[in-house]
Structures are given as C-alpha cells and as structure tokens.
Amino acid sequence: MSKLRAAARSGRGLQQGAGDVRKSPRRRRETVSSHKGVLPPVSAQQSAYHLFSHPAEIEAFRKNLLAWYDKCKRDLPWRKLAASESDTNRRAYAVWVSEIMLQQTQVATVIDYYNRWMQKWPTLQALARASLEDVNELWAGLGYYSRGKRLQEAAQKVVSELAGQMPGTAEELQTLLPGVGRYTAGAIASISYGQATGVVDGNVIRVLCRVRCIGADSSSPAVADRLWDLAHALVDPARPGDFNQAMMELGATVCTPRVPLCLECPVKQHCRARCRVEKELEFASKRLLGKAASSCSQAPDIEECAAAATGSCSLCPPATEPWDSRLGVANFPRRAAKKPPRAERTATCVLERRGHRGEPEYLIVQRPNSGLLAGLWEFPSLPWGPGLTEKQQREALLGHVQAWAGEAVAGGRLRHIGEVGHVFSHIHQTYVVYSLLLGGDPEAAAGGRAEELQGPAFRWVTQAEFQQSAVSTAMKKVWKACERGSCEGRGPGKGCKRKWGADPLRASQLKVEAEGSLPPRQLSLDAFLKAPAGE
C-alpha cells in the first residue's frame, strides 16, 4: 500500500463526477475539481495491480508519450488554432467547437465542418447571433444534430449571462455550460487554460485498459471512476493539454480497436496487456523449441492480480469471458453487449412540381423542434403503421401528401422507388420511398395557399436549394435513391444529376444502403470456379 500512496502523491487528481462517460442514472451528479488530490484508496474489490505502482514509471510514461506526440502528432486545424491564438476566450471557444464535433464522429469527417464553422462563426459572439436554421444547415450530415443546437444555446448563455467570458476551470465549464460534460470540460480546461486535469474518452479508455489490464466492463460506474483516477494521476502538470491530446492520439492512431500497432507504441514497455501476450508467446515457444526469451522485464500475468484468484477483483475480466489468445491486447477493453437498434419503417414521398420558371421543385417539411433530427427538413414522411399492408400504407401516405398537392391525386400516380436504410444510434430506420409528380398550375399546390394549411413549416426547393438546406444524411440518401430510380412514364427531371429512368432494371426494387449507393460487388475467384447451378 505504501507504493500506492507514493504513486498517488506523484500525480494530480480531481474529484469524481458525471460527464461523457456513461454513468448509472441513480448516481448523483458531481463536478470536477481543480485542486490537487490523491488517488482514492483501493477498494476490497480492486487490486493495486491495475494502477501505476511507482512515481518513476509515471514520469517515464509521460516522457515517452509526449516525445512521441511531438514527433508524430497529426496536423489538425483545431490544434493550430489552440497553439496560435493568444486570446484565451477565443482559444477555449475553438477547442470547444472541435470537441463537440469530434464526439462520436471521425476526425476526417470533422475537419471540413470545423473549418467552415470557424470561418462563418469565428467567435462566441458570432455564433450567439446566428439563427438555429443556419446552425442546422452547416451541421447537416455531421450526425447527432442536437450537438449543434446545444453548442449555440451554450454560446448564447456565455454572451447573455457571463458577459461573453468563457468559464475558466473544468468544474465551472461543466456546471455553467449546457451540453458540456466531464470529458469536454476537462479537454477545454487542459488544452486552453493549462489546467492539470485528465480526460477520459473512448480512445483513452482503450489505452488505459490495455496498459493496466483492466478487463471489466469499462462503462460500469466503478471501472469508469478508476479510469478517471488513472487519467488524473498520469496527466503531466507541465503540459496537461498536450498530454491529454497525446493519449487520445495514441488511441486513435496506434492503440486502435482491432489491429493495434504495438511495435510502434511509445509506451509499450508499460503495457501489461502486451506483457501478457509476450509471456504466452514465450510459453508457446518453449513448448515448440524448448527455449524462449521475453523482452518484458516484469512479464506480469493475470494471476498477479491478488484478487483475481478468488474472482473478487472488479477490474479483472469476468471468469465467464476468458482470455482469447487470438485477440492479444485487443482483449481489452471489454464492454457489455450493446442493445441492438430497434427496427422502424417510414414511408417517404418525394413530391415534385414544376416551378414558375419550369425548373423542378421539391417539397420539404420541417421536423418538430425536439426529438430525433429536431428542426431539420425532410420529404413528407409517415411512420409505417403496425400491421398495415403496403397498399394500406400507400393510401395513408397519399392522404398525408394530398393537402400539399393542391389537386386530386389518383393512387396510381404514387410510384414506388425503393427502400433506403439508415442506422441512427438506437434506430435502424428503413425509408420506403415513393415519388409523386404534380401537374397543373404551380400556384394550385401548397406554395400558393400556405395560409390554408395547418401543421409543420414547409417550403418548395430546387435541387440546389435542397442540397444546401438543413437536411439529414438519411434524406440525402432518399434523394440519391430517386436519382437512381426510375419514374416511368415521364421525362427526366432537369434537376437530376442522373436521368431518372436511366436504369429501369433497378427502378422497382432499388435498395440503397450505406451512403445511398453501392458499386457493383466484385466477384470472388470462387465464383468463377464454381460450377453453374443445375449442371
């Protein structure tokens, strides 16, 4: 225990709190604290084996990681801004925007959105003055759309209630700004203000679980708390922002989920998961050759956790999930199985008319301001009722769009295009796509009689205007389905990139997945060698 206390004195810690790591809903909300602290005592259900046992090891870990980061870090726009911006308020805002965008989103996707965002709203004040419609339009396609709305609401609070000044510590950021959790607050405070506080995101969880052989469910409250303790103990007080970014960079580029690059890891000598792999290889080699040597001086095994033998360690892998030699260090971390997304079906109609200048126009309606895809625009849609046949669903959809049509529409004019799949975080949504071409005077459609319609906001847009509107990725997939599908019996819309009807074979049963279109699948060699059926 004396070694543990020494390790605790060598690091900086913060109080535990709720934030971006999932917590039990029964746990009270706590906030981070910026004062010096120590690691909490190890409980009877946790072993010191999973901690850093000596201050010298912590110092070596920091030194090796930061040296690697200085040499290998990626050139990212938010890092440039954080390094070059002298105004702490603007620097904190720039970091904040990047951290919100990077939640559940890959770096490659975020870069373009971040650059356009900072060009349009370079300051908190500029964002606070923007309309929610403008925010949604720029955010469209980035996913998790409530993030943009919360970011603007928090910016408006800073301007209206905090005199335009960002909170200056992690605990104040988390307490005062809506949508800012424990991780985001720690990232802003460490990178922008130099506060010595650790951070824990998915990448950091993976690194820590492998370095210390933590195999219990990393989303459980007890394990999450211990990971935060480790992050606070490890963070370099001289370069907290760089250290935290280095931990995340390591997890994103080297200590990856499925194929980690262990030979390139700057802290591999501190990794107990790697030592376990080496020891297993040594045993296997001895069985085959009678001799082997391990480069790991400690060569720890799971049995070195004192509580593991009795199965009482809350940080070790459960006995029901034994070590899989094929996975190696990728045995860590382990998470509870996710609940599969529920399946839903929605009928969607691309309603088209000829505008005043003869250019095709398409109807989009605005979703409610709360719930999934709040405030975004979509083609008229109707959830697929339980137990309804396709014919009944078509009739229901036809009645739904009748008000916007401005004319009697026969059911035969509603043409089936295909199905579009899109997976949200908790919903596997299938859009059953139809198209409907209106004729007659454009003024007869909804655009000329808006005062008579009750319900959500709507508007008619050209193809170019649709692409610039605040529409979800799912609706863009629906658009692509219509471009690839065929509306037989009419000429192609001038606004289409591809002639509608150019591929009649796919018209009736088009299935669009992933990004809305898939290239033809390449045949394997087995397909060429396989004898034709029936021979």
Side-chain angles (χ1 to χ4, degrees):
M1 187 61 71
S2 60
K3 289 185 177 181
L4 174 61
R5 293 195 182 97
R9 287 195 296 269
S10 69
R12 289 172 178 258
L14 303 181
Q15 294 175 354
Q16 272 94 86
D20 299 333
V21 171
R22 190 177 306 149
K23 295 287 184 179
S24 168
R26 296 187 297 272
R27 291 171 63 84
R28 64 182 177 87
R29 174 181 173 85
E30 303 174 18
T31 56
V32 294
S33 172
S34 59
H35 72 274
K36 287 185 178 181
V38 297
L39 286 171
V42 179
S43 69
Q45 291 77 36
Q46 296 175 348
S47 167
Y49 165 72
H50 301 289
L51 304 180
F52 283 82
S53 58
H54 198 279
E57 186 180 16
I58 293 178
E59 290 299 325
F61 187 98
R62 293 169 177 169
K63 180 180 178 181
N64 295 337
L65 180 64
L66 286 170
W68 168 82
Y69 178 72
D70 290 339
K71 180 180 179 181
C72 301
K73 64 183 176 183
R74 290 171 291 179
D75 186 17
L76 301 174
W78 44 89
R79 289 177 179 167
K80 287 183 179 179
L81 270 177
S84 62
E85 180 57 64
S86 58
D87 184 282
T88 55
N89 215 43
R90 297 185 66 156
R91 182 167 65 244
Y93 168 67
V95 173
W96 182 18
V97 172
S98 71
E99 291 299 336
I100 297 298
M101 286 189 171
L102 287 166
Q103 292 172 7
Q104 305 294 326
T105 309
Q106 294 182 349
V107 168
T109 302
V110 168
I111 290 175
D112 178 61
Y113 283 89
Y114 182 82
N115 288 333
R116 288 190 286 117
W117 181 287
M118 295 306 296
Q119 183 177 10
K120 190 167 188 176
W121 302 303
T123 65
L124 275 166
Q125 290 73 15
L127 176 59
R129 292 191 299 266
S131 68
L132 180 58
E133 180 71 13
D134 286 341
V135 170
N136 284 338
E137 285 183 3
L138 196 151
W139 202 277
L142 196 55
Y144 298 91
Y145 297 93
S146 61
R147 293 180 295 169
K149 180 181 179 181
R150 290 199 304 266
L151 181 57
Q152 189 199 28
E153 290 173 347
Q156 291 171 339
K157 180 176 182 179
V158 172
V159 171
S160 62
E161 300 180 21
L162 304 177
Q165 296 298 309
M166 286 282 290
T169 63
E171 66 271 20
E172 290 176 352
L173 286 162
Q174 185 180 346
T175 302
L176 298 176
L177 299 186
V180 174
R182 189 178 185 182
Y183 161 76
T184 304
I188 296 172
S190 62
I191 298 171
S192 303
Y193 307 140
Q195 182 178 342
T197 175
V199 298
V200 174
D201 73 342
N203 289 316
V204 175
I205 287 173
R206 187 161 54 255
V207 171
L208 292 177
C209 284
R210 290 173 179 174
V211 167
R212 295 293 95 170
C213 269
I214 297 175
D217 178 9
S218 59
S219 65
S220 69
V223 178
D225 285 344
R226 184 54 65 185
L227 292 172
W228 276 97
D229 295 338
L230 283 172
H232 294 322
L234 286 175
V235 67
D236 191 328
R239 299 176 60 187
D242 286 341
F243 181 88
N244 287 335
Q245 290 184 90
M247 286 286 285
M248 292 184 280
E249 187 84 347
L250 183 66
T253 63
V254 175
C255 196
T256 54
R258 294 179 178 83
V259 189
L261 307 176
C262 293
L263 294 179
E264 300 179 17
C265 180
V267 294
K268 56 181 176 287
Q269 65 269 37
H270 306 285
C271 182
R272 289 185 168 165
R274 173 179 171 269
C275 288
R276 172 161 186 165
V277 171
E278 286 202 349
K279 192 160 188 177
E280 286 203 350
L281 290 175
E282 179 180 321
F283 291 155
S285 179
K286 283 181 178 180
R287 285 196 299 268
L288 293 174
L289 304 177
K291 59 181 180 178
S294 173
S295 62
C296 182
S297 58
Q298 300 178 41
D301 199 352
I302 196 66
E303 285 75 21
E304 291 189 26
C305 174
T310 61
S312 60
C313 179
S314 63
L315 298 178
C316 284
T320 56
E321 299 179 17
W323 174 273
D324 187 342
S325 300
R326 297 168 298 178
L327 296 178
V329 300
N331 276 279
F332 305 100
R334 302 191 184 194
R335 291 179 178 271
K338 290 184 179 180
K339 183 179 179 180
R342 69 177 185 269
E344 294 186 359
R345 292 174 68 82
T346 297
T348 300
C349 183
V350 180
L351 196 61
E352 179 183 347
R353 74 176 187 183
R354 294 292 171 179
H356 294 284
R357 293 173 294 180
E359 185 177 6
E361 294 180 340
Y362 308 90
L363 181 71
I364 55 176
V365 297
Q366 192 169 32
R367 292 182 60 86
N369 288 326
S370 60
L372 183 67
L373 307 176
L376 298 189
W377 295 81
E378 65 182 5
F379 297 115
S381 301
L382 193 65
W384 194 289
L388 292 184
T389 65
E390 182 177 349
K391 180 180 179 181
Q392 292 171 326
Q393 185 63 44
R394 286 170 63 99
E395 292 173 352
L397 180 62
L398 191 63
H400 181 64
V401 302
Q402 186 73 55
W404 287 294
E407 61 182 71
V409 179
R413 292 173 57 187
L414 190 66
R415 304 195 63 86
H416 178 251
I417 296 298
E419 294 187 357
V420 172
H422 187 79
V423 179
F424 298 99
S425 59
H426 58 293
I427 299 173
H428 189 174
Q429 182 68 260
T430 298
Y431 293 94
V432 184
V433 184
Y434 297 87
S435 69
L436 178 60
L437 176 63
L438 301 179
D441 186 355
E443 288 293 336
R449 46 194 285 277
E451 69 280 356
E452 301 178 15
L453 295 174
Q454 301 294 326
F458 66 92
R459 63 187 182 185
W460 291 90
V461 295
T462 64
Q463 177 184 358
E465 291 168 340
F466 171 81
Q467 297 294 346
Q468 296 171 1
S469 298
V471 295
S472 67
T473 300
M475 284 299 108
K476 291 183 178 180
K477 291 182 181 182
V478 169
W479 177 269
K480 287 184 179 181
C482 288
E483 284 190 327
R484 292 177 61 90
S486 173
C487 291
E488 298 176 0
R490 73 168 180 88
K494 293 181 181 179
C496 297
K497 297 178 181 178
R498 181 194 307 262
K499 290 186 177 182
W500 288 25
D503 193 359
L505 182 63
R506 294 173 58 87
S508 60
Q509 297 296 330
L510 176 67
K511 182 71 175 180
V512 181
E513 299 177 354
E515 290 301 322
S517 60
L518 292 176
R521 184 173 297 176
Q522 181 176 329
L523 295 175
S524 66
L525 182 60
D526 289 343
F528 287 99
L529 300 177
K530 190 176 181 179
E535 287 190 0

PDB file of all heavy atoms in Angstrom, residues 438-451:
ATOM      1  N   LEU A 438     -46.524  16.288 -59.637  1.00  0.00           N
ATOM      2  CA  LEU A 438     -47.748  17.075 -59.747  1.00  0.00           C
ATOM      3  C   LEU A 438     -47.799  17.774 -61.092  1.00  0.00           C
ATOM      4  O   LEU A 438     -46.769  18.149 -61.650  1.00  0.00           O
ATOM      5  CB  LEU A 438     -47.814  18.111 -58.625  1.00  0.00           C
ATOM      6  CG  LEU A 438     -47.773  17.568 -57.193  1.00  0.00           C
ATOM      7  CD1 LEU A 438     -47.831  18.711 -56.198  1.00  0.00           C
ATOM      8  CD2 LEU A 438     -48.915  16.586 -56.949  1.00  0.00           C
ATOM      9  N   GLY A 439     -48.987  18.006 -61.575  1.00  0.00           N
ATOM     10  CA  GLY A 439     -49.156  18.753 -62.812  1.00  0.00           C
ATOM     11  C   GLY A 439     -49.947  20.016 -62.556  1.00  0.00           C
ATOM     12  O   GLY A 439     -50.297  20.360 -61.424  1.00  0.00           O
ATOM     13  N   GLY A 440     -50.250  20.736 -63.614  1.00  0.00           N
ATOM     14  CA  GLY A 440     -51.073  21.930 -63.489  1.00  0.00           C
ATOM     15  C   GLY A 440     -50.317  23.145 -63.010  1.00  0.00           C
ATOM     16  O   GLY A 440     -49.085  23.209 -63.020  1.00  0.00           O
ATOM     17  N   ASP A 441     -51.070  24.144 -62.562  1.00  0.00           N
ATOM     18  CA  ASP A 441     -50.529  25.440 -62.152  1.00  0.00           C
ATOM     19  C   ASP A 441     -49.783  25.310 -60.833  1.00  0.00           C
ATOM     20  O   ASP A 441     -50.337  24.796 -59.857  1.00  0.00           O
ATOM     21  CB  ASP A 441     -51.684  26.427 -61.997  1.00  0.00           C
ATOM     22  CG  ASP A 441     -51.201  27.847 -61.717  1.00  0.00           C
ATOM     23  OD1 ASP A 441     -49.988  28.043 -61.554  1.00  0.00           O
ATOM     24  OD2 ASP A 441     -52.065  28.739 -61.641  1.00  0.00           O
ATOM     25  N   PRO A 442     -48.531  25.793 -60.776  1.00  0.00           N
ATOM     26  CA  PRO A 442     -47.792  25.722 -59.511  1.00  0.00           C
ATOM     27  C   PRO A 442     -48.510  26.421 -58.368  1.00  0.00           C
ATOM     28  O   PRO A 442     -48.374  26.034 -57.201  1.00  0.00           O
ATOM     29  CB  PRO A 442     -46.461  26.412 -59.842  1.00  0.00           C
ATOM     30  CG  PRO A 442     -46.323  26.301 -61.319  1.00  0.00           C
ATOM     31  CD  PRO A 442     -47.707  26.344 -61.865  1.00  0.00           C
ATOM     32  N   GLU A 443     -49.301  27.467 -58.675  1.00  0.00           N
ATOM     33  CA  GLU A 443     -49.995  28.180 -57.611  1.00  0.00           C
ATOM     34  C   GLU A 443     -51.057  27.315 -56.949  1.00  0.00           C
ATOM     35  O   GLU A 443     -51.505  27.599 -55.849  1.00  0.00           O
ATOM     36  CB  GLU A 443     -50.647  29.449 -58.174  1.00  0.00           C
ATOM     37  CG  GLU A 443     -49.648  30.541 -58.521  1.00  0.00           C
ATOM     38  CD  GLU A 443     -48.966  31.097 -57.280  1.00  0.00           C
ATOM     39  OE1 GLU A 443     -49.548  30.993 -56.198  1.00  0.00           O
ATOM     40  OE2 GLU A 443     -47.852  31.629 -57.404  1.00  0.00           O
ATOM     41  N   ALA A 444     -51.483  26.254 -57.665  1.00  0.00           N
ATOM     42  CA  ALA A 444     -52.501  25.384 -57.089  1.00  0.00           C
ATOM     43  C   ALA A 444     -51.936  24.489 -56.005  1.00  0.00           C
ATOM     44  O   ALA A 444     -52.681  23.957 -55.190  1.00  0.00           O
ATOM     45  CB  ALA A 444     -53.125  24.522 -58.183  1.00  0.00           C
ATOM     46  N   ALA A 445     -50.629  24.304 -56.022  1.00  0.00           N
ATOM     47  CA  ALA A 445     -50.002  23.488 -54.986  1.00  0.00           C
ATOM     48  C   ALA A 445     -49.870  24.274 -53.700  1.00  0.00           C
ATOM     49  O   ALA A 445     -50.253  25.433 -53.614  1.00  0.00           O
ATOM     50  CB  ALA A 445     -48.627  23.003 -55.463  1.00  0.00           C
ATOM     51  N   ALA A 446     -49.294  23.641 -52.680  1.00  0.00           N
ATOM     52  CA  ALA A 446     -49.271  24.234 -51.343  1.00  0.00           C
ATOM     53  C   ALA A 446     -48.555  25.567 -51.305  1.00  0.00           C
ATOM     54  O   ALA A 446     -48.845  26.401 -50.458  1.00  0.00           O
ATOM     55  CB  ALA A 446     -48.616  23.272 -50.361  1.00  0.00           C
ATOM     56  N   GLY A 447     -47.628  25.791 -52.226  1.00  0.00           N
ATOM     57  CA  GLY A 447     -46.872  27.026 -52.188  1.00  0.00           C
ATOM     58  C   GLY A 447     -47.731  28.247 -52.391  1.00  0.00           C
ATOM     59  O   GLY A 447     -47.397  29.345 -51.950  1.00  0.00           O
ATOM     60  N   GLY A 448     -48.867  28.133 -53.038  1.00  0.00           N
ATOM     61  CA  GLY A 448     -49.711  29.282 -53.285  1.00  0.00           C
ATOM     62  C   GLY A 448     -50.856  29.398 -52.315  1.00  0.00           C
ATOM     63  O   GLY A 448     -51.665  30.314 -52.425  1.00  0.00           O
ATOM     64  N   ARG A 449     -51.003  28.481 -51.352  1.00  0.00           N
ATOM     65  CA  ARG A 449     -52.126  28.517 -50.434  1.00  0.00           C
ATOM     66  C   ARG A 449     -51.678  28.144 -49.026  1.00  0.00           C
ATOM     67  O   ARG A 449     -52.350  27.405 -48.300  1.00  0.00           O
ATOM     68  CB  ARG A 449     -53.234  27.574 -50.904  1.00  0.00           C
ATOM     69  CG  ARG A 449     -52.731  26.217 -51.330  1.00  0.00           C
ATOM     70  CD  ARG A 449     -53.800  25.431 -52.112  1.00  0.00           C
ATOM     71  NE  ARG A 449     -54.824  24.904 -51.238  1.00  0.00           N
ATOM     72  CZ  ARG A 449     -54.695  23.755 -50.559  1.00  0.00           C
ATOM     73  NH1 ARG A 449     -53.591  23.057 -50.642  1.00  0.00           N
ATOM     74  NH2 ARG A 449     -55.673  23.327 -49.809  1.00  0.00           N
ATOM     75  N   ALA A 450     -50.520  28.656 -48.645  1.00  0.00           N
ATOM     76  CA  ALA A 450     -49.935  28.287 -47.354  1.00  0.00           C
ATOM     77  C   ALA A 450     -50.840  28.659 -46.189  1.00  0.00           C
ATOM     78  O   ALA A 450     -50.853  27.992 -45.158  1.00  0.00           O
ATOM     79  CB  ALA A 450     -48.572  28.959 -47.175  1.00  0.00           C
ATOM     80  N   GLU A 451     -51.614  29.757 -46.362  1.00  0.00           N
ATOM     81  CA  GLU A 451     -52.442  30.207 -45.256  1.00  0.00           C
ATOM     82  C   GLU A 451     -53.546  29.211 -44.920  1.00  0.00           C
ATOM     83  O   GLU A 451     -54.110  29.228 -43.836  1.00  0.00           O
ATOM     84  CB  GLU A 451     -53.054  31.572 -45.588  1.00  0.00           C
ATOM     85  CG  GLU A 451     -54.103  31.535 -46.700  1.00  0.00           C
ATOM     86  CD  GLU A 451     -53.486  31.490 -48.098  1.00  0.00           C
ATOM     87  OE1 GLU A 451     -52.240  31.568 -48.177  1.00  0.00           O
ATOM     88  OE2 GLU A 451     -54.228  31.378 -49.071  1.00  0.00           O
TER      89      GLU A 451
END
